[in-house]
Amino acid sequence: MKQMGNEGSEAMDIRGRWISAKQMETRLSTHQLIPAVTFTCQRCGAFPVKGPCTCGKRCYYCRRCIAYGKLRTCDQLITDTRPLDPVRPAQHRPVRLTPAQTTVARTIEQTILRGGRLLVHAVCGAGKTPMFFPGIERALANGKRVLVTAPRADVVRELTHHIKQAFPTAHVVSLYVDQRIVFS
């Protein structure tokens, strides 16, 4: 495993997210490691179960998020502690969508306007966030509120930043696990 300083351009950008350390060939001085499974799974928060392991011991592992890759007591998660790059408003305006994205964006907009629920499921990088913008814009113009959910705290933080940049006058509330909130 290579050790590098901050200059490493070969390293995968993992700022703002935790991944299995096995996925990283290059380590930067800004990387932080934590045990993947302790009393709970550090990825999903579930309680682990004990079972045979490739390390030769009986390690605890998480059954809840096993579809994302098995995490065991002997595994580690890694992140990059450097702050994320700021999102520029120019990335949001104008929104250019493909024909398929435009169809989904219209469906989102119609669902928001009639107060319905909709699950948009697509791979990372498919452009889901910009597809929400026309519907959010229309809902806010009509005095409605919008709820966007995501399965991970890092995704919630990223979406919050994008939405605040796209709608600077909107009141945006972001909630996720282990967040310190003071209600007055």
Side-chain angles (χ1 to χ4, degrees):
M1 185 102 18
K2 287 190 230 170
Q3 291 284 343
M4 300 180 69
N6 290 334
E7 72 286 348
S9 58
E10 319 172 31
M12 179 184 353
D13 187 0
I14 57 170
R15 294 175 296 166
R17 58 192 178 121
W18 290 95
I19 66 166
S20 172
K22 292 176 184 175
Q23 294 177 261
M24 292 297 298
E25 291 181 17
T26 304
R27 299 279 168 87
L28 302 178
S29 59
T30 56
H31 284 171
Q32 175 186 353
L33 291 164
I34 62 167
V37 177
T38 55
F39 295 107
T40 59
C41 172
Q42 299 303 304
R43 180 166 50 199
C44 73
F47 293 106
V49 296
K50 200 168 197 174
C53 184
T54 56
C55 74
K57 300 177 186 173
R58 289 185 54 82
C59 289
Y60 285 91
Y61 70 97
C62 181
R63 290 173 60 181
R64 182 193 285 169
C65 64
I66 198 165
Y68 303 111
K70 192 172 190 177
L71 287 182
R72 300 175 278 265
T73 311
C74 58
D75 293 329
Q76 291 184 312
L77 294 176
I78 189 169
T79 192
D80 190 332
T81 57
R82 293 177 295 168
L84 294 170
D85 296 332
V87 177
R88 294 178 187 91
Q91 292 177 327
H92 298 298
R93 298 281 182 210
V95 176
R96 293 185 188 146
L97 302 174
T98 66
Q101 288 174 319
T102 302
T103 301
V104 173
R106 282 191 201 122
T107 303
I108 292 168
E109 188 174 353
Q110 292 165 358
T111 302
I112 289 172
L113 291 177
R114 70 169 191 271
R117 296 178 185 180
L118 178 68
L119 173 64
V120 178
H121 180 82
V123 298
C124 293
K128 293 179 293 292
T129 304
M131 287 188 271
F132 291 124
F133 291 167
I136 292 172
E137 189 170 42
R138 186 96 174 266
L140 294 175
N142 289 332
K144 293 185 177 243
R145 295 187 297 174
V146 179
L147 171 67
V148 178
T149 63
R152 297 189 334 251
D154 60 316
V155 176
V156 171
R157 289 188 289 271
E158 185 178 340
L159 280 171
T160 300
H161 192 71
H162 284 283
I163 291 170
K164 284 181 176 181
Q165 289 291 325
F167 304 99
T169 60
H171 178 68
V172 178
V173 176
S174 178
L175 303 173
Y176 49 89
V177 174
D178 295 332
Q179 181 182 18
R180 306 249 187 254
I181 303 173
V182 178
F183 293 101
S184 52

